[in-house]
Amino acid sequence: MKAQVFRGVNHLSYEDVALPALLADEVLVQVNVVGLCQSDIKKILYPLYEPPRIFGHETAGAIAAVGEQVQTWQVGQRVAVMHHIPCMRCDYCLNENYSMCDTYKNIVTTAGFIPSGGGFAEYVKVPGHIVRNGGLIPIPDGISFEEASFVEPTNCCLKAVKKANIQPGQTVLITGAGPIGLMFVMLVKYFGARAIATDLIPARVHKALELGAEAAFDARDTDLPPKIQALTRGMGVDVTLLAVPSEKAFFQALDCTRKGGKILFFAEFPDEVEIPINPNILYRREIDLIGSYSSSFKLQHLAADIVFNRRIDVQALISHRYPLSDLGKAVEQAIKPTPETYKILLYPDLQ
Ligand SMILES: [Zn+2]
Ligand SMILES: [Zn+2]
């Protein structure tokens, strides 16, 4: 089968690899579509992982084979594939910090080499732990593979919304209106709160308004804090979701978030970045700084409900479809987005 193999920093190789062999409790999924995630881009462009590996984790496809012990799944069933599932037993899991669980962090779905997601291939193998513990999500009739590929990123965003405890009637500032920021706009609105978005790209500012933001601004606007105050009875927003790894966006968030509000770090910053902060800002204004990484097992059902019942319009986020052979081009485009670049999807069989 064909796969995009990570052979070193910024070195992808589209090559033939062996079809993964199945153990008795494993399932093989033929990939129909896989979303390109910011985290994939980081893994490809920075020396974070030893090559060779096959990344890709926002995967939807059809079951192509099952091991002889697998009773509950049949060939032909359409599924979204979760690339990691927590153990449900460790102290992290018992405290619902599923994404801190060692079993969760240890990615096991694979298309070959050290398991790393495996979605950037024609077939991906799903190990027994994932098969048995809810990591295959059936796609309802009438829902496309494309839509189903959004269950994983929706869960990640949903987890942040829940961690920030966003309530109906609150106002939320979302810094960055790329595919993640726009998903936040839609989710925040779905949960009854008001979204305000910022971005450097004018087309994204417009898109945020189109998808339900009450207001959207150029991120360079030096009048942003007074504009936000005008929209929030002089208070500032209840929550800021940082969907871009930008120091400037963080300081803007401090200026725009109300006393007693929350700032949530969603985008991963480069490791060398350190942000100096006067702790009295947190003390006197009681601002909570929180982080949210990856998805929550507990929210998987709700994430699937949101996507499969079209409670947010994930299709509005799709801007480009590439054949898997052009993954390199897709990465290029994602890091140098044109005004109309949002979510990029990859297809093993797109000609
Ligand atoms: Zn992702
Ligand atoms: Zn655990």
Side-chain angles (χ1 to χ4, degrees), residues 14 24 31 87 91 125 131 142 163 172 182 263 270 289 303 316 320 326 330 338-339:
Y14 187 59
V31 178
C87 76
D91 286 332
K125 183 175 85 156
V131 174
K163 263 196 105 165
V172 180
L182 292 171
I263 299 174
L289 299 183
H320 291 81
D326 281 345
T338 62

mmCIF file of all heavy atoms in Angstrom, residues 14 24 31 87 91 125 131 142 163 172 182 263 270 289 303 316 320 326 330 338-339:
data_model
loop_
_atom_site.group_PDB
_atom_site.id
_atom_site.type_symbol
_atom_site.label_atom_id
_atom_site.label_comp_id
_atom_site.label_asym_id
_atom_site.label_seq_id
_atom_site.Cartn_x
_atom_site.Cartn_y
_atom_site.Cartn_z
ATOM 1 N N TYR A 14 6.639 9.522 -0.217
ATOM 2 C CA TYR A 14 5.428 8.784 -0.598
ATOM 3 C C TYR A 14 5.886 7.448 -1.153
ATOM 4 O O TYR A 14 6.484 7.388 -2.217
ATOM 5 C CB TYR A 14 4.661 9.593 -1.646
ATOM 6 C CG TYR A 14 3.310 9.022 -1.996
ATOM 7 C CD1 TYR A 14 2.340 8.850 -1.023
ATOM 8 C CD2 TYR A 14 3.002 8.684 -3.315
ATOM 9 C CE1 TYR A 14 1.085 8.343 -1.347
ATOM 10 C CE2 TYR A 14 1.749 8.181 -3.647
ATOM 11 C CZ TYR A 14 0.800 8.009 -2.655
ATOM 12 O OH TYR A 14 -0.439 7.504 -2.973
ATOM 13 N N ALA A 24 -5.208 -11.127 16.357
ATOM 14 C CA ALA A 24 -6.580 -11.645 16.436
ATOM 15 C C ALA A 24 -7.597 -10.606 16.909
ATOM 16 O O ALA A 24 -8.769 -10.685 16.570
ATOM 17 C CB ALA A 24 -6.610 -12.864 17.357
ATOM 18 N N VAL A 31 -8.443 3.807 4.815
ATOM 19 C CA VAL A 31 -8.617 5.242 5.050
ATOM 20 C C VAL A 31 -9.346 5.852 3.855
ATOM 21 O O VAL A 31 -8.935 5.682 2.711
ATOM 22 C CB VAL A 31 -7.247 5.929 5.242
ATOM 23 C CG1 VAL A 31 -7.421 7.436 5.439
ATOM 24 C CG2 VAL A 31 -6.500 5.309 6.425
ATOM 25 N N CYS A 87 -6.468 4.520 29.728
ATOM 26 C CA CYS A 87 -6.590 3.203 30.361
ATOM 27 C C CYS A 87 -7.831 3.108 31.242
ATOM 28 O O CYS A 87 -8.323 2.020 31.516
ATOM 29 C CB CYS A 87 -5.337 2.902 31.184
ATOM 30 S SG CYS A 87 -5.257 3.793 32.752
ATOM 31 N N ASP A 91 -4.416 6.967 38.051
ATOM 32 C CA ASP A 91 -4.866 8.117 38.855
ATOM 33 C C ASP A 91 -5.288 9.298 37.971
ATOM 34 O O ASP A 91 -6.189 10.047 38.330
ATOM 35 C CB ASP A 91 -3.767 8.540 39.825
ATOM 36 C CG ASP A 91 -3.653 7.542 40.971
ATOM 37 O OD1 ASP A 91 -4.677 6.912 41.293
ATOM 38 O OD2 ASP A 91 -2.558 7.379 41.524
ATOM 39 N N LYS A 125 -3.956 0.263 10.954
ATOM 40 C CA LYS A 125 -4.289 -0.843 11.849
ATOM 41 C C LYS A 125 -4.704 -0.283 13.211
ATOM 42 O O LYS A 125 -4.031 0.579 13.773
ATOM 43 C CB LYS A 125 -3.064 -1.743 12.017
ATOM 44 C CG LYS A 125 -3.358 -2.963 12.867
ATOM 45 C CD LYS A 125 -2.151 -3.876 12.912
ATOM 46 C CE LYS A 125 -1.174 -3.448 13.988
ATOM 47 N NZ LYS A 125 -0.330 -4.580 14.430
ATOM 48 N N VAL A 131 -9.948 -0.934 19.819
ATOM 49 C CA VAL A 131 -11.172 -1.585 19.316
ATOM 50 C C VAL A 131 -12.128 -1.867 20.476
ATOM 51 O O VAL A 131 -13.320 -1.610 20.388
ATOM 52 C CB VAL A 131 -10.812 -2.900 18.581
ATOM 53 C CG1 VAL A 131 -12.079 -3.669 18.176
ATOM 54 C CG2 VAL A 131 -9.941 -2.623 17.357
ATOM 55 N N GLY A 142 -25.840 8.758 6.036
ATOM 56 C CA GLY A 142 -26.109 10.153 5.685
ATOM 57 C C GLY A 142 -25.022 11.111 6.142
ATOM 58 O O GLY A 142 -25.069 12.301 5.833
ATOM 59 N N LYS A 163 -13.333 22.891 29.733
ATOM 60 C CA LYS A 163 -12.352 23.245 30.770
ATOM 61 C C LYS A 163 -12.490 24.710 31.174
ATOM 62 O O LYS A 163 -12.320 25.069 32.333
ATOM 63 C CB LYS A 163 -10.927 22.994 30.262
ATOM 64 C CG LYS A 163 -10.381 21.653 30.704
ATOM 65 C CD LYS A 163 -8.879 21.571 30.537
ATOM 66 C CE LYS A 163 -8.154 21.679 31.857
ATOM 67 N NZ LYS A 163 -6.746 21.249 31.756
ATOM 68 N N VAL A 172 -16.817 35.292 24.749
ATOM 69 C CA VAL A 172 -15.543 34.590 24.611
ATOM 70 C C VAL A 172 -14.739 35.213 23.477
ATOM 71 O O VAL A 172 -15.252 35.377 22.360
ATOM 72 C CB VAL A 172 -15.791 33.094 24.301
ATOM 73 C CG1 VAL A 172 -14.477 32.348 24.150
ATOM 74 C CG2 VAL A 172 -16.642 32.458 25.397
ATOM 75 N N LEU A 182 -12.108 28.918 14.155
ATOM 76 C CA LEU A 182 -13.468 28.948 13.606
ATOM 77 C C LEU A 182 -14.336 27.854 14.227
ATOM 78 O O LEU A 182 -15.529 28.046 14.446
ATOM 79 C CB LEU A 182 -13.430 28.801 12.083
ATOM 80 C CG LEU A 182 -12.803 29.991 11.340
ATOM 81 C CD1 LEU A 182 -12.614 29.656 9.865
ATOM 82 C CD2 LEU A 182 -13.647 31.254 11.490
ATOM 83 N N ILE A 263 -8.094 32.672 30.828
ATOM 84 C CA ILE A 263 -7.380 32.626 29.550
ATOM 85 C C ILE A 263 -6.908 31.191 29.363
ATOM 86 O O ILE A 263 -6.216 30.639 30.231
ATOM 87 C CB ILE A 263 -6.172 33.591 29.536
ATOM 88 C CG1 ILE A 263 -6.669 35.030 29.734
ATOM 89 C CG2 ILE A 263 -5.379 33.455 28.242
ATOM 90 C CD1 ILE A 263 -5.551 36.052 29.891
ATOM 91 N N PRO A 270 6.085 27.245 20.511
ATOM 92 C CA PRO A 270 7.420 26.652 20.357
ATOM 93 C C PRO A 270 8.066 26.538 21.739
ATOM 94 O O PRO A 270 7.848 27.393 22.602
ATOM 95 C CB PRO A 270 8.173 27.678 19.502
ATOM 96 C CG PRO A 270 7.118 28.533 18.869
ATOM 97 C CD PRO A 270 5.937 28.514 19.780
ATOM 98 N N LEU A 289 -5.213 31.218 34.434
ATOM 99 C CA LEU A 289 -4.535 30.742 33.221
ATOM 100 C C LEU A 289 -4.667 29.230 33.195
ATOM 101 O O LEU A 289 -4.265 28.561 34.146
ATOM 102 C CB LEU A 289 -3.048 31.118 33.238
ATOM 103 C CG LEU A 289 -2.702 32.601 33.296
ATOM 104 C CD1 LEU A 289 -1.182 32.778 33.228
ATOM 105 C CD2 LEU A 289 -3.359 33.353 32.143
ATOM 106 N N ALA A 303 -18.921 14.911 21.360
ATOM 107 C CA ALA A 303 -18.235 15.370 20.141
ATOM 108 C C ALA A 303 -18.857 14.707 18.915
ATOM 109 O O ALA A 303 -19.125 15.364 17.900
ATOM 110 C CB ALA A 303 -16.738 15.062 20.221
ATOM 111 N N ALA A 316 -18.206 23.756 6.528
ATOM 112 C CA ALA A 316 -17.835 25.141 6.221
ATOM 113 C C ALA A 316 -16.347 25.391 6.473
ATOM 114 O O ALA A 316 -15.796 26.391 6.010
ATOM 115 C CB ALA A 316 -18.670 26.096 7.064
ATOM 116 N N HIS A 320 -9.682 22.801 1.275
ATOM 117 C CA HIS A 320 -8.879 22.122 0.245
ATOM 118 C C HIS A 320 -8.882 20.620 0.447
ATOM 119 O O HIS A 320 -8.876 20.137 1.575
ATOM 120 C CB HIS A 320 -7.436 22.632 0.267
ATOM 121 C CG HIS A 320 -7.325 24.042 -0.191
ATOM 122 N ND1 HIS A 320 -7.584 25.099 0.638
ATOM 123 C CD2 HIS A 320 -7.030 24.573 -1.407
ATOM 124 C CE1 HIS A 320 -7.450 26.224 -0.037
ATOM 125 N NE2 HIS A 320 -7.106 25.940 -1.274
ATOM 126 N N ASP A 326 0.180 14.292 -2.287
ATOM 127 C CA ASP A 326 0.555 15.712 -2.193
ATOM 128 C C ASP A 326 0.579 16.228 -0.756
ATOM 129 O O ASP A 326 0.393 17.427 -0.532
ATOM 130 C CB ASP A 326 -0.426 16.565 -3.006
ATOM 131 C CG ASP A 326 -0.119 16.512 -4.500
ATOM 132 O OD1 ASP A 326 0.995 16.068 -4.856
ATOM 133 O OD2 ASP A 326 -0.986 16.906 -5.294
ATOM 134 N N ALA A 330 0.301 20.105 0.831
ATOM 135 C CA ALA A 330 -0.729 20.474 1.801
ATOM 136 C C ALA A 330 -0.090 21.141 3.025
ATOM 137 O O ALA A 330 -0.592 22.147 3.531
ATOM 138 C CB ALA A 330 -1.527 19.240 2.212
ATOM 139 N N THR A 338 -3.099 30.828 2.191
ATOM 140 C CA THR A 338 -3.680 31.858 1.332
ATOM 141 C C THR A 338 -4.909 32.377 2.086
ATOM 142 O O THR A 338 -5.350 31.753 3.066
ATOM 143 C CB THR A 338 -4.132 31.263 -0.011
ATOM 144 O OG1 THR A 338 -5.159 30.291 0.259
ATOM 145 C CG2 THR A 338 -2.988 30.587 -0.749
ATOM 146 N N PRO A 339 -5.490 33.518 1.650
ATOM 147 C CA PRO A 339 -6.649 34.024 2.381
ATOM 148 C C PRO A 339 -7.772 32.998 2.500
ATOM 149 O O PRO A 339 -8.572 33.067 3.409
ATOM 150 C CB PRO A 339 -7.089 35.224 1.539
ATOM 151 C CG PRO A 339 -5.842 35.692 0.877
ATOM 152 C CD PRO A 339 -5.037 34.451 0.608
#
